[in-house]
Amino acid sequence: MPEEMTESMRRAMSLAGDRAKLEAFYDQWAASYDEDVAEHDYGMPEALVSTLLAAVRDLTAVDPGLVRLHGPDTDVLDAGCGTGQVGRALVAAGYRIIDGIDLSEAMIEVAATTGLYRRLEAGIDLTKAPPPHLEAKADVVTVGGVFTVGHIPPESLVQIAMLARPGGLIALSTRRSYQEEVGFELVSERLVDDGIVELVRREQDLPYTMDSTGDYWVYRRPNR
Ligand SMILES: C[S@@+](CC[C@H](N)C(=O)[O-])C[C@H]1O[C@@H](n2cnc3c(N)ncnc32)[C@H](O)[C@@H]1O
């Protein structure tokens, strides 16, 4: 892995998707996470939200009724919100109603100190079907930095899509190395063919961290 990556990032990517290890790892990283990522040009949150806004612009140009997808009344769920990095970019883009979920209690505690989120909940595993109180509630779901090596498999998009209401959007990032290792594109194509999600927009090789680019994907949960 590149020299520039911090020891924490390197360890995070070696956790093989093990829930207990991921939870324990992020619990101990929470206090210094923001400082660490700030030193590594963490461009992911802004790239994710700008891709989301471009998708919303395209959709609303065709159907002005979709205006609900961007604005102060839009219900956003930041899935794998961590300490709130994506929440900050969402607020800067004009979103106001943002809930956050994550595995790690300590990451959620840091997110709570930002004042960006309406509700926060720890202990939610994105590889599992969502609990009923979260299912099909969000207009927009963001998933930044979670589809990465050692975290969740591409197939978790099925469970994550269940968080969006029919017609709602799911915006996610994939780190370059992850995409190549797990064949994200093929799984994405299969889920689109199966009618689980529609692909609205994909941006390739935008900034992610100083040592990696990422792709940014916006999906729509079909209206049915
Ligand atoms: C690299 S951090 C990204 C956090 C935040 N979105 C950001 O951009 O800074 C990955 C986050 O995903 C969470 N996570 C990892 N596996 C998860 C899972 N299976 N379900 C829910 N959250 C998970 C971790 O606890 C951590 O907060």
Side-chain angles (χ1 to χ4, degrees):
M1 280 180 201
E3 279 301 304
E4 295 82 3
M5 198 176 288
T6 64
E7 184 52 30
S8 292
M9 287 178 189
R10 210 185 305 270
R11 284 183 51 210
M13 288 165 68
S14 70
L15 298 171
D18 180 306
R19 177 188 164 147
K21 283 188 190 160
L22 280 159
E23 209 170 331
F25 176 77
Y26 277 102
D27 278 351
Q28 61 78 36
W29 193 10
S32 58
Y33 179 91
D34 287 336
E35 210 176 304
D36 279 4
V37 298
E39 286 171 10
H40 285 77
D41 295 344
Y42 197 39
M44 186 282 291
E46 283 72 27
L48 178 66
V49 173
S50 65
T51 306
L52 166 66
L53 293 186
V56 171
R57 258 195 311 275
D58 290 350
L59 288 168
T60 48
V62 178
D63 180 355
L66 295 173
V67 74
R68 163 129 196 225
L69 295 172
H70 179 223
D73 300 327
T74 306
D75 263 307
V76 184
L77 179 66
D78 186 15
C81 64
T83 57
Q85 296 274 340
V86 173
R88 215 163 276 123
L90 285 165
V91 167
Y95 289 103
R96 292 289 174 269
I97 305 173
I98 310 170
D99 294 335
I101 54 176
D102 200 281
L103 264 188
S104 159
E105 182 78 48
M107 293 293 269
I108 286 284
E109 279 168 15
V110 177
T113 66
T114 65
L116 299 167
Y117 293 91
R118 177 181 61 176
R119 279 192 289 264
L120 286 160
E121 190 172 347
I124 303 293
D125 185 349
L126 297 175
T127 68
K128 303 278 187 289
H133 69 282
L134 292 174
E135 192 175 337
K137 295 290 190 310
D139 298 313
V140 172
V141 179
T142 51
V143 197
V146 192
F147 284 97
T148 188
V149 178
H151 285 49
I152 64 173
E155 291 79 3
S156 297
L157 180 52
V158 175
Q159 286 77 39
I160 288 170
M162 294 168 73
L163 295 164
R165 65 170 173 77
L169 301 182
I170 303 106
L172 62 91
S173 65
T174 51
R175 192 184 178 96
R176 167 72 35 223
S177 53
Y178 170 84
Q179 222 170 278
E180 287 159 7
E181 189 174 306
V182 303
F184 187 87
E185 188 163 5
L186 283 179
V187 178
S188 169
E189 280 169 13
R190 180 160 54 77
L191 298 183
V192 169
D193 288 347
D194 290 349
I196 307 286
V197 285
E198 297 159 1
L199 182 60
V200 179
R201 191 176 188 95
R202 176 186 180 183
E203 296 286 350
Q204 292 181 257
D205 285 324
L206 293 186
Y208 192 98
T209 54
M210 69 174 11
D211 49 41
S212 177
T213 60
D215 280 10
Y216 295 86
W217 312 69
V218 180
Y219 298 92
R220 190 159 186 222
R221 183 173 178 183
N223 254 321
R224 60 174 132 77

